[in-house]
Amino acid sequence: MRQELQSLPKGLAEDVAKNLVMVAKLIDEDPEQAYAYSKVALRLASRVAAVREAAGFAAYANQKFSEALAEFRAARRMTGNIELWPVMADCERGLGRPEKALDMAGAPEVAKLDKAGQVEMRLVAAGARRDMDQLDAAIVTLQSPELASNSVQPWTARLRYAYADALLAAGREDEAREWFAKAVESDRDGSTDASDRLAELDGVEFVDAFDETEADEAPVAEVGPKASASDEDEPWVEDAEDVEEFYDEDDEEFEPEEKDKG
């Protein structure tokens, strides 16, 4: 980003940088305010890819999916960077187009993503399956070496959480409880509410600290054995064979999205 801003006059570059810093600072705690700062940055430097990307994430955080998708596409055209592919696919889900998200999950671009990006794409694809009420297919989509690995990575908690949630939606409560427990184990920064979901499955009721009635003692969660599998280096692309049993003859075939023009 610094190199991109160097092409701007010094005063303008400083103003743009300040607004981008505020977007990054506020996007989680106050997404509406972050969105406002992103609009200022856009007015100042709409031809800077970092500005378009920040505007995209700010719009995405406010569920303005059409606007977010347009900004992500613009940033990608400017840089050729493929890292935004998963969030672009999730915007398609937000716009009510899960089939389009699945097309993107099967596109050649997925093979160019790093491991984190491939895991993110897998999460988006599973979400698209659930949008289409294909719960079993969503579960299959999430089954992967990354899910089974004992190694804890930045994406591990979210992946295990998504898998547990899909199992629960499919009525497989015992398995869901095991995977929520595994998500708790790997959720070191509290990025999910896996502990609350696990407590709910265990029948634990949370009582206000000022409530005079005594809360029942919470049972200790038993964590099931960890799954084991070696990580694979091959990139993941949504494979129709993995989920072919969930389709009928009328299902449309995946067609990769053509690269945006203009």
Side-chain angles (χ1 to χ4, degrees):
M1 181 182 74
R2 184 173 299 176
Q3 291 181 343
E4 291 182 278
L5 296 182
Q6 286 178 349
S7 63
L8 302 175
K10 183 177 180 181
L12 178 59
E14 291 177 350
D15 288 342
V16 173
K18 288 177 182 178
N19 281 281
L20 293 182
V21 168
M22 293 305 296
V23 172
K25 180 179 179 180
L26 297 172
I27 197 165
D28 291 326
E29 61 186 57
D30 191 348
E32 290 186 5
Q33 193 64 30
Y35 178 74
Y37 278 108
S38 75
K39 284 298 189 181
V40 174
L42 270 177
R43 287 197 296 270
L44 294 172
S46 62
R47 296 185 180 182
V48 174
V51 171
R52 303 303 290 268
E53 184 175 331
F57 278 110
Y60 179 81
N62 284 275
Q63 299 186 7
K64 299 178 184 291
F65 298 114
S66 181
E67 184 177 339
L69 185 57
E71 297 299 342
F72 290 142
R73 284 174 172 169
R76 183 175 172 236
R77 283 196 298 270
M78 292 175 179
T79 64
N81 197 325
I82 201 62
E83 291 180 359
L84 295 172
W85 195 254
V87 71
M88 289 168 63
D90 206 40
C91 285
E92 296 288 2
R93 285 187 60 213
L95 291 169
R97 301 194 292 249
E99 297 89 349
K100 185 65 174 178
L102 287 176
D103 286 346
M104 295 180 69
E109 283 82 354
V110 176
K112 302 175 185 177
L113 295 169
D114 61 13
K115 182 65 70 176
Q118 290 173 23
V119 170
E120 193 65 33
M121 191 72 250
R122 191 179 289 277
L123 288 167
V124 173
R129 295 289 185 195
R130 293 191 61 174
D131 293 343
M132 300 166 67
D133 294 323
Q134 297 176 359
L135 289 176
D136 289 336
I139 291 170
V140 170
T141 298
L142 292 168
Q143 291 171 347
S144 61
E146 294 82 17
L147 176 69
S149 175
N150 290 328
S151 174
V152 175
Q153 302 295 334
W155 60 76
T156 302
R158 291 178 59 238
L159 185 59
R160 291 177 176 179
Y161 182 95
Y163 188 59
D165 194 47
L167 288 169
L168 187 61
R172 296 160 62 174
E173 185 172 316
D174 290 342
E175 293 173 84
R177 186 194 176 285
E178 177 184 351
W179 282 97
F180 275 127
K182 291 181 178 182
V184 171
E185 284 185 329
S186 56
D187 194 0
R188 297 168 178 172
D189 58 359
S191 61
T192 74
D193 64 346
S195 59
D196 293 341
R197 299 292 298 277
L198 182 61
E200 288 176 7
L201 288 174
D202 285 339
V204 176
E205 294 184 4
F206 296 97
V207 179
D208 191 287
F210 297 99
D211 196 330
E212 294 181 359
T213 60
E214 295 183 359
D216 293 334
E217 184 176 349
V220 177
E222 295 181 1
V223 180
K226 295 181 179 179
S228 61
S230 60
D231 289 333
E232 296 181 356
D233 294 329
E234 292 79 11
W236 170 79
V237 177
E238 174 81 350
D239 188 348
E241 293 181 359
D242 289 342
V243 293
E244 62 182 350
E245 62 180 299
F246 304 110
Y247 289 110
D248 57 35
E249 296 179 354
D250 295 329
D251 287 317
E252 298 180 357
E253 296 180 355
F254 295 165
E255 295 182 1
E257 181 188 54
E258 294 183 1
K259 187 173 182 180
D260 298 319
K261 299 179 180 179

